[in-house]
Each structure stands twice: as structure tokens, then as C-alpha cells.
Amino acid sequence: MMLVTDREKLRAWLEGLHARGRAVFPFLGPRAPGEMPERIFPEPGSLASIKGLLLPVEPLLEEPPSAEGPILVWGVRPCDMKGVALIDEIFRKGFEDPPYEARRSRLRFAGVLCREEAASCFCGELGVDRTDGAGMDLLVVEDGAAVFIKPLTKVGEEILSQLEAPFEAAAPPDEARIEGIIAGIREARRRQEGKGPRIPQAELVHVIRDEA
């Protein structure tokens, strides 16, 4: 199922969620604490680490509010979700960490695919497919003035209903076009595979475990 809205409705919805403490935006750039970012679709390489939402040792991001209920983390990239998966490997497997689980279980991830890699990106080295929505609850694709969103999990479907999202069903031709855009990004990524060194996931988990 593919849904669609326009940028103005999307921003108004996100502003409402943010005002109610139901959305956070891990974007770099100057803004006052609690202020909405100027852009809701950041360029690749312009996101802050979302590790601070899961392991808040220092205030890397605005803290999720203490109220109960899900928090939508908007604008994450496939590399962010790779990081979340690695942290989950440590804190969700093998033993229980109640504080971590309490934070993690509230987060819902709305992710954006990267059509191009920034100079600072390292997807190839980490084996990250920038067309892969693994770990995301919602996949977001821009197309001109329209914004398409595809729920990837049951939780993703539920949060759109819970948070009264202003989306409607996309027409079949539009859905086919967006799937074509995703396929094009995937093909471009495939052509880049094997052009650089790869870091084994076990080694990444070891590094994160040492830091944690």
C-alpha cells in the first residue's frame, strides 16, 4: 500500500506532532531547543547521530518527552537504521536492559532513501544498501510537490492511524512510478558494489560494545 500527500500538509502534520511531543528530527544545523528544522528532508550526511535517542549519555539530540506513547523519528536514512540494528544486537539480544527497552520500544522510524551518496557517506564500507528500508516502519519518497509514504511494518500502519496522518491512497500509476524510482536507486547502488573495502558486522558490534 502506497499513500500520498503534499509537502504543505506533511509539514503541518509534522509540526503538530512536534508540538505535542510526538516527533523528533535528528537533523544537524542551528536551531533552538525544541524548534522544528527549516527543512523536513535533509541532504545525505546532514543528520545527527540517533544514538543519543537510544543511549542518552550526552544531549546529542532533543530528548523525547516523558509523556507516554510512540515517538516518530522522522527523516532517518538506511545507515541510521544499520546503526540501530547494531545497537539492538547488544542491548536486545542475550540480556535485558529495561532502560534501553523503554526508550527503544517507543520509537517509530520514518526513513528516507538516499538517491545519491554524499562525500562523507560510508554505505559501501558498511555494506549498507541505501534502498533498503530494513528497520524502518515507514518509507518516505519525495516526488516533486508530492510525498509518498509506504508502511513497512504493522506498527507503521498503526502509527499513521494513531497520529491522524493526512495521507490518502496513491493512484496505481503513481505507485508504479515511485516503485520505479526505488528500483532505479537500487540499480545505481548495485553498480557501486564491490568498489571499496567492507567492514564485517561482527567487528562493528565489537566496537559499539566497547564504547557502550
Side-chain angles (χ1 to χ4, degrees):
M1 177 180 63
M2 188 84 70
L3 305 172
V4 64
T5 190
D6 61 53
R7 287 175 177 267
E8 290 186 5
K9 290 180 181 178
L10 176 63
R11 184 171 184 91
W13 178 61
L14 291 174
E15 287 177 346
L17 294 183
H18 189 257
R20 303 199 312 270
R22 287 288 174 262
V24 294
F25 304 86
F27 304 169
L28 296 173
R31 56 189 171 109
E35 182 181 14
M36 276 277 296
E38 181 178 348
R39 300 180 61 182
I40 58 174
F41 290 104
E43 296 297 323
S46 64
L47 272 71
S49 170
I50 61 175
K51 181 180 177 182
L53 288 172
L54 299 168
L55 304 171
V57 177
E58 52 184 294
L60 298 178
L61 298 172
E62 56 188 298
E63 288 286 336
S66 58
E68 296 296 325
I71 302 295
L72 183 65
V73 185
W74 178 267
V76 297
R77 303 280 178 168
C79 54
D80 295 305
M81 299 315 303
K82 177 75 169 184
V84 171
L86 291 171
I87 296 173
D88 280 349
E89 188 76 20
I90 297 169
F91 288 93
R92 280 188 145 181
K93 297 182 179 180
F95 70 97
E96 294 184 4
D97 187 296
Y100 179 84
E101 187 61 32
R103 292 187 294 268
R104 177 69 173 86
S105 63
R106 294 183 63 196
L107 302 182
R108 309 289 185 265
F109 296 98
V112 181
L113 300 183
C114 298
R115 302 193 185 198
E116 298 178 354
E117 290 187 12
S120 59
C121 289
F122 44 82
C123 290
E125 289 82 355
L126 298 183
V128 177
D129 181 352
R130 65 174 186 265
T131 68
D132 185 6
M136 298 177 186
D137 299 298
L138 302 170
L139 178 63
V140 184
V141 181
E142 304 171 79
D143 186 44
V147 178
F148 293 83
I149 193 162
K150 183 177 182 179
L152 299 179
T153 65
K154 183 65 175 178
V155 168
E157 295 178 3
E158 291 172 351
I159 197 171
L160 291 178
S161 176
Q162 292 170 355
L163 300 181
E164 301 177 347
F167 294 92
E168 59 187 33
D174 291 334
E175 183 169 353
R177 186 176 72 256
I178 297 305
E179 293 291 357
I181 290 174
I182 295 172
I185 301 172
R186 183 171 291 117
E187 175 60 20
R189 174 72 184 119
R190 187 193 64 77
R191 291 196 298 268
Q192 293 177 344
E193 288 182 352
K195 293 186 177 181
R198 291 281 295 275
I199 303 175
Q201 177 162 321
E203 184 176 331
L204 294 172
V205 172
H206 177 72
V207 171
I208 295 173
R209 193 186 302 275
D210 288 346
E211 290 186 353

